[in-house]
């Protein structure tokens, strides 16, 4: 594996003609389109990156096939490195094949923590910050009104709206879920668990990203494949683009300003209490002094219930030398990846910030915001794919000591782990696409 931003040679080649047969029946004609469905209708590093990864995989494994990005809402996030996104419900209701001999589309659920994302959470996260604040003030303490508002806002009468409803898709559509998560699945109400299990059983394949989710589904009678989150492929598939962003714009300026390197630090809004910020500021300042590094603070997600730029401002003001720290401004997903990929150390509560750092073999520490769901996701991922000695999780007060050991470790193990996970994810991607577009065999029970 090469250094940060360099592209690694990949074995990804198009699927064989048998694997890539167009649609659910072996007819000759226009290849069926591929719908990529996920939460890339709002700004979040992980969701936008998963969409980019899925599109790049499709371009390499199924060249020439039409791609449609779908979420719960119509959005255009191309300025942030995302996609022009259609609303899945509208896309499915208005579906017309481009030609009469075009088979039904395939739908790839591109990952994310979808198995415990409620309609209320999804609806709020699709608002701007002011709208989210109003909705929370009006409905947060009234579950019935909250549920009704969410259904009306989304136009989707489902409790887990980022789990695609098979019955609402164009007739004959096959779906595969890849790299999905749901660490809170076992704690859901029985009706929501039943809803999720019915949809997953209707799919042609289910791949989950952590043991916690796999075990919860297994306890409910559904076997899912355990695969790495597709974002581990970011260096392999998008390394050249990340390198370009590292050499231009904001990231290039930050690299020049902090010639000896910088700590890239991200923290969720849950870190916003004064005591936590004061402790973090002291620890980051100590790392800065000991290693002569700059500090770059960044938001991994700007949708409601993600990161709060005000928290970063308050953290910066608590540093002994605020001028030695910068808050990164760019929300572009490739700028965020480049910022992480070129950091001397990444300290983040975001699961996908950690995955990107690991993919580029950068020293990385996970920050734990108490009992928040973000911590559960991060723990489940690390428990599944990293040995305990490499979890590198910092609670308040031990970041400085952990940073010393992480910065002093040899990089060879990080590089080997990055390659191993990327290889596993590549194999999983090939299996997912083959499930979508193989002809149906007599044993296949997919509707």
């Amino acid at each position: 594996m090469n250094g940060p931003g360099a592209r690694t040679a990949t074995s990804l080649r198009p699927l064989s003609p048998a694997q890539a047969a167009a649609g659910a029946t072996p007819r000759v004609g226009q290849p069926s389109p591929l719908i990529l469905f996920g939460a890339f209708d709002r700004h979040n590093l992980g969701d936008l990156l998963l969409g980019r990864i899925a599109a790049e995989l499709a371009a390499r494994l199924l060249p020439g096939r039409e791609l449609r990005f779908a979420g719960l809402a119509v959005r255009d996030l191309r300025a942030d490195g995302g996609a022009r996104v259609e609303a899945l419900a509208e896309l499915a209701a208005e579906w017309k094949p481009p030609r009469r001999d075009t088979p039904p589309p395939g739908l790839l659920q591109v990952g994310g923590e979808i198995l415990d994302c409620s309609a209320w959470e999804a609806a709020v996260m699709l608002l701007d910050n002011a709208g989210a604040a109003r909705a929370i003030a009006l409905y947060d303490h009234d579950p019935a009104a909250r549920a009704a508002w969410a259904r009306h806002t989304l136009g989707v009468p489902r409790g887990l709206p980022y789990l695609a409803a098979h019955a609402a898709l164009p007739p004959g559509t096959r779906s595969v879920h890849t790299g999905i998560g749901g660490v809170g699945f076992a704690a859901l109400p029985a009706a929501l668990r039943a809803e999720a299990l019915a949809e997953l059983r209707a799919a042609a394949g289910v791949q989950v990203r952590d043991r916690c989710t796999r075990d919860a589904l297994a306890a409910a009678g559904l076997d899912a494949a355990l695969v790495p989150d597709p974002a581990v492929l970011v260096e392999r598939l998008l390394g050249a683009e990340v390198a370009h962003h590292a050499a231009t714009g904001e990231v290039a300026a930050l690299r020049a300003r902090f010639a000896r390197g910088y700590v890239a630090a991200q923290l969720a809004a849950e870190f916003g209490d004064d005591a936590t910020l004061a402790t973090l500021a002291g620890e980051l300042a100590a790392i800065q002094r000991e290693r002569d590094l700059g500090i770059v603070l960044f938001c991994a997600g700007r949708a409601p219930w993600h990161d709060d730029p005000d928290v970063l401002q308050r953290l910066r003001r608590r540093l002994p030398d605020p001028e030695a720290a910068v808050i990164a401004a760019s929300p572009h997903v490739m700028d965020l990846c480049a910022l992480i990929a070129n950091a001397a150390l990444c300290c983040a509560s975001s699961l996908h910030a950690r995955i990107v750092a690991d993919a580029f073999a950068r020293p990385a520490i996970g920050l734990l915001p108490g009992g928040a769901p973000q911590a559960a996701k991060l723990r489940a991922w690390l428990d599944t794919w990293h040995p305990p000695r490499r979890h590198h999780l910092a609670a308040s007060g031990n970041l400085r000591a952990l940073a010393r050991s992480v910065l002093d470790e040899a990089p060879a193990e990080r590089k080997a782990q990055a390659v191993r996970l990327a290889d596993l994810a590549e194999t999983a991607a090939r299996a997912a696409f083959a499930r979508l577009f193989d002809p149906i065999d007599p044993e296949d029970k997919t509707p």
Side-chain angles (χ1 to χ4, degrees):
M1 194 164 185
N2 299 321
R7 191 164 207 155
T8 302
T10 174
S11 60
L12 279 171
R13 297 184 179 85
L15 298 177
S16 69
Q19 289 174 315
T25 55
R27 292 185 293 173
V28 176
Q30 183 80 9
S32 56
L34 173 61
I35 299 171
L36 302 178
F37 178 56
F40 27 72
D41 45 14
R42 55 191 170 87
H43 186 279
N44 180 44
L45 167 63
D47 295 310
L48 296 183
L49 182 57
L50 287 168
R52 294 291 300 270
I53 294 287
E56 185 67 20
L57 284 166
R60 297 186 185 210
L61 294 175
L62 300 167
R65 193 174 296 265
E66 179 190 3
L67 297 182
R68 307 282 288 271
F69 288 85
L72 296 178
V74 175
R75 294 287 188 273
D76 189 347
L77 289 171
R78 287 176 292 181
D80 293 335
R84 187 176 65 82
V85 183
E86 302 173 76
L88 181 62
E90 296 175 10
L91 188 158
E94 299 170 1
W95 181 262
K96 292 180 181 177
R99 284 174 32 170
R100 295 183 63 183
D101 60 352
T102 302
L107 183 141
L108 184 71
Q109 183 105 41
V110 303
E113 194 74 1
I114 64 166
L115 293 179
D116 52 10
C117 179
S118 71
W120 163 246
E121 293 168 317
V124 170
M125 288 187 287
L126 286 168
L127 300 173
D128 59 23
N129 288 325
R134 286 194 297 270
I136 292 168
L138 287 170
Y139 304 115
D140 196 33
H141 300 295
D142 186 343
R146 191 170 65 195
W149 173 84
R151 286 194 300 270
H152 174 75
T153 299
L154 296 175
V156 177
R158 300 176 53 76
L160 300 172
Y162 277 114
L163 184 59
H166 199 86
L169 299 176
T173 298
R174 304 181 83 184
S175 62
V176 167
H177 305 270
T178 181
I180 62 175
V183 296
F185 179 80
L188 291 176
L192 285 186
R193 293 200 306 273
E195 175 187 304
L197 291 167
E199 293 302 340
L200 295 176
R201 289 187 176 115
V206 179
Q207 301 173 335
V208 299
R209 70 186 179 191
D210 61 78
R211 285 197 191 98
C212 179
T213 302
R214 183 198 61 183
D215 293 349
L217 294 178
L222 189 144
D223 291 328
L226 184 63
V227 306
D229 187 293
V232 301
L233 287 165
V234 59
E235 195 275 346
R236 182 168 293 186
L237 298 182
L238 302 174
E241 189 173 356
V242 172
H244 172 74
H245 279 257
T248 58
E250 182 180 41
V251 180
L254 291 170
R255 294 172 68 198
R257 174 171 177 167
F258 300 121
R260 296 181 64 85
Y262 57 85
V263 178
Q266 172 273 338
L267 51 153
E270 290 89 348
F271 287 85
D273 66 277
D274 289 339
T276 298
L277 290 180
T279 300
L280 273 173
E283 292 182 302
L284 287 171
I287 297 168
Q288 183 181 43
R289 288 193 304 270
E290 291 173 5
R291 301 284 175 162
D292 195 18
L293 299 172
I295 297 175
V296 180
L297 308 175
F298 70 98
C299 288
R302 295 174 186 257
W305 281 335
H306 286 73
D307 297 359
D308 184 349
D310 181 64
V311 171
L312 299 185
Q313 292 284 4
R314 291 167 55 214
L315 174 60
R316 181 174 177 269
R317 288 196 296 267
R318 282 166 171 77
L319 292 168
D321 181 10
E323 296 305 313
V326 173
I327 298 176
S330 175
H332 196 287
V333 63
M334 289 292 101
D335 283 339
L336 294 173
C337 289
L339 179 68
I340 295 166
N342 287 275
L345 173 67
C346 178
C347 302
S349 64
S350 160
L351 168 62
H352 282 95
R354 174 63 186 265
I355 290 175
V356 171
D358 286 338
F360 284 93
R362 306 312 301 152
I365 295 173
L367 301 179
L368 294 180
Q374 189 81 354
K377 287 194 303 183
L378 184 55
R379 282 191 183 277
W381 168 259
L382 295 171
D383 285 343
T384 303
W385 300 107
H386 293 271
R389 61 185 174 79
R390 293 214 66 251
H391 282 190
H392 300 331
L393 286 170
S396 181
N398 74 335
L399 176 60
R400 178 186 184 184
L402 186 55
R404 287 172 177 164
S405 62
V406 171
L407 285 166
D408 289 339
E409 67 184 9
E413 188 174 359
R414 292 197 302 269
K415 292 181 179 180
Q417 176 73 344
V419 171
R420 184 180 79 87
L421 291 183
D423 287 345
L424 290 172
E426 183 179 316
T427 299
R430 297 182 71 85
F433 281 114
R435 286 263 186 164
L436 276 177
F437 293 112
D438 268 353
I440 291 178
D441 63 47
E443 300 288 320
D444 198 303
K445 297 181 177 59
T446 304

